[in-house]
């Protein structure tokens, strides 16, 4: 019997706690294979879900944590334009010769770049959207953290004056 990563609560049919879901998503943040449409869609959906969770107040992060995660998101976004520019070069059929095999290889390169559901360009664009959603989620979560800290500060001040 192999190791099952699910918690006992999840195995019993209960949904994971918000903190568990967040930790699991963040732990796998950079594992999506950009050539696998299913993984890219899951990453993108996870980013949108994390933003919604933060928007509902279910996710908070301190300044240091937010800064580090945003740095990672920025690394992807900073490299995105050069990656896509390079991949767009593949959308033009390379002149590899006139043989059927040369034509087949050139056609394959076009398909890999932008010709089917696992193509690089649509998946890279979906990844970019995911990273933008993550940045927004971290910014919202940072505001949530500040609000929580302010509320705790009020409670402690009240306790100290009594």
């Amino acid at each position: 019997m192999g190791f099952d990563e699910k918690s006992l609560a999840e195995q019993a049919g209960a949904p994971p706690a918000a903190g568990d879901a967040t930790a699991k998503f963040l732990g796998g943040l950079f594992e999506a294979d950009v050539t696998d449409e299913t993984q890219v869609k899951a990453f993108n959906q996870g980013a949108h879900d994390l933003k919604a969770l933060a928007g509902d107040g279910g996710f908070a992060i301190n300044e240091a944590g937010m800064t580090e995660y945003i740095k990672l998101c920025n690394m992807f976004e900073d490299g995105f334009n050069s990656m896509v520019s390079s991949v767009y070069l593949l959308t033009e059929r390379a002149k590899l010769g006139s043989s059927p095999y040369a034509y087949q290889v050139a056609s394959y390169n076009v398909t890999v770049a932008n010709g089917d559901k696992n193509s690089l360009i649509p998946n890279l664009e979906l990844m970019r959207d995911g990273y933008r959603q993550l940045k927004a989620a971290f910014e919202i979560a940072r505001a949530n953290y500040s609000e929580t800290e302010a509320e705790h500060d009020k409670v402690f001040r009240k306790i100290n004056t009594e």
Side-chain angles (χ1 to χ4, degrees):
M1 188 161 120
F3 177 72
D4 187 352
E5 292 183 2
K6 291 183 180 179
S7 70
L8 293 176
E10 286 177 289
Q11 290 176 32
D20 293 343
T22 303
K24 189 172 186 175
F25 175 75
L26 293 176
L29 190 60
F30 297 100
E31 294 179 8
D33 176 358
V34 74
T35 63
D36 185 326
E37 181 194 29
T38 302
Q39 288 184 26
V40 171
K41 282 184 174 180
F43 168 81
N44 185 274
Q45 185 60 53
H48 281 265
D49 291 348
L50 190 63
K51 182 180 175 188
L53 181 66
D56 291 340
F59 171 49
I61 193 168
N62 66 18
E63 182 74 29
M66 180 198 75
T67 299
E68 291 305 311
Y69 278 118
I70 286 186
K71 280 182 192 177
L72 294 172
C73 292
N74 285 340
M75 282 175 36
F76 177 85
E77 282 198 276
D78 291 345
F80 174 81
N81 289 332
S82 67
M83 282 187 291
V84 169
S85 294
S86 296
V87 175
Y88 266 109
L89 293 174
L90 295 174
T91 63
E92 295 180 28
R93 188 177 314 281
K95 296 176 183 169
L96 299 176
S98 59
S99 73
Y101 180 72
Y103 185 81
Q104 184 180 9
V105 169
S107 294
Y108 177 76
N109 288 344
V110 171
T111 300
V112 167
N114 201 23
D116 68 15
K117 67 180 185 173
N118 290 322
S119 296
L120 292 172
I121 293 171
N123 286 344
L124 284 170
E125 290 171 346
L126 199 55
M127 292 286 289
R128 177 184 56 187
D129 176 65
Y131 279 100
R132 287 179 175 169
Q133 296 302 311
L134 285 175
K135 285 174 61 173
F138 293 130
E139 290 165 359
I140 294 167
R142 174 61 182 113
N144 292 345
Y145 185 85
S146 295
E147 290 173 18
T148 301
E149 288 296 304
E151 288 300 315
H152 290 165
D153 190 45
K154 285 181 190 176
V155 169
F156 287 126
R157 281 189 209 169
K158 184 178 178 184
I159 292 171
N160 285 337
T161 59
E162 291 177 355

